[in-house]
Amino acid sequence: MKIYQSEVAPIGTNCYLVVNEENNEAVVVDPGGSPEIIAQMINRSGAKVQAIFLTHGHMDHIGALEEVHAATGAKVYISEEDAPMLSNPESSLAAFMGMDLHCPPADAFFRHGEAVEEAGLQFKVLATPGHTPGGVCLLCADVCFCGDTIFCESIGRTDFPGGSYDGLIRSIKEKILTLSPETRLLPGHGPSTTVEWEKRRNPFLQ
């Protein structure tokens, strides 16, 4: 497995391309914006995108979904709870950025505890509500794609509609900190980290 990462507009979201080097197929995680940058990343990898995974429905994680979906024809996944955000600019926060964002509907829904196999890779779904009602993290081998659930020494905002601080802390402690200490956490913004580091250094989790 090889992971490419690009920071995309409008607010520096990490978009990931997860490539299975055995079959040269891939999954895009959180195409938040800058479709031309994401296209360059895909072209550079030479991989065929089979699926698009959305950790949650905020506009900075779905902003380039329409373009990436049109270019790849890939299957779109999101939680059922956050799926309405794809077509509602107010709940996705796009309206607050002056954007009338309407994305293609999901092809499949993430459900907690299930294993989703795409591109020959297996991703375990961890429901982590708190930042949004339907936020998820996706565990593939020893790497966890965290969206805006947890950041390096920080956590996702909970002051947006549908957010819950207590819910987010509970999600992190029950779903993330129980993973192997060596698990790499690849967040929606900022640098990567590990479970062990966050246990020791994250001031919100002490």
Side-chain angles (χ1 to χ4, degrees), residues 45-170:
S45 75
K48 178 174 175 54
V49 175
Q50 301 292 328
I52 302 169
F53 290 170
L54 307 173
T55 61
H56 64 289
H58 283 160
M59 55 80 56
D60 60 315
H61 290 253
I62 67 172
L65 174 59
E66 183 175 9
E67 292 88 346
V68 175
H69 178 262
T72 64
K75 191 174 180 180
V76 177
Y77 288 78
I78 193 172
S79 71
E80 192 166 7
E81 295 84 353
D82 277 15
M85 296 183 184
L86 296 177
S87 59
N88 187 329
E90 290 189 358
S91 62
S92 72
L93 306 181
F96 294 99
M97 299 284 290
M99 300 169 59
D100 186 25
L101 181 65
H102 294 271
C103 297
D107 298 295
F109 296 130
F110 288 130
R111 292 181 173 83
H112 175 67
E114 75 174 359
V116 174
E117 185 168 331
E118 288 288 355
L121 299 170
Q122 196 168 85
F123 297 80
K124 183 178 180 180
V125 179
L126 306 174
T128 53
H131 179 64
T132 65
V136 301
C137 295
L138 302 163
L139 180 66
C140 185
D142 63 347
V143 178
C144 187
F145 300 90
C146 300
D148 288 359
T149 295
I150 187 170
F151 305 124
C152 182
E153 300 182 13
S154 189
I155 61 172
R157 291 179 61 167
T158 58
D159 57 334
F160 295 129
S164 168
Y165 180 84
D166 290 341
L168 184 63
I169 295 299
R170 183 166 55 251

Side-chain angles (χ1 to χ4, degrees), residues 186-200:
L186 301 187
H189 304 272
S192 64
T193 183
T194 66
V195 169
E196 181 178 21
W197 186 268
E198 297 312 305
K199 280 183 174 180
R200 292 191 290 113

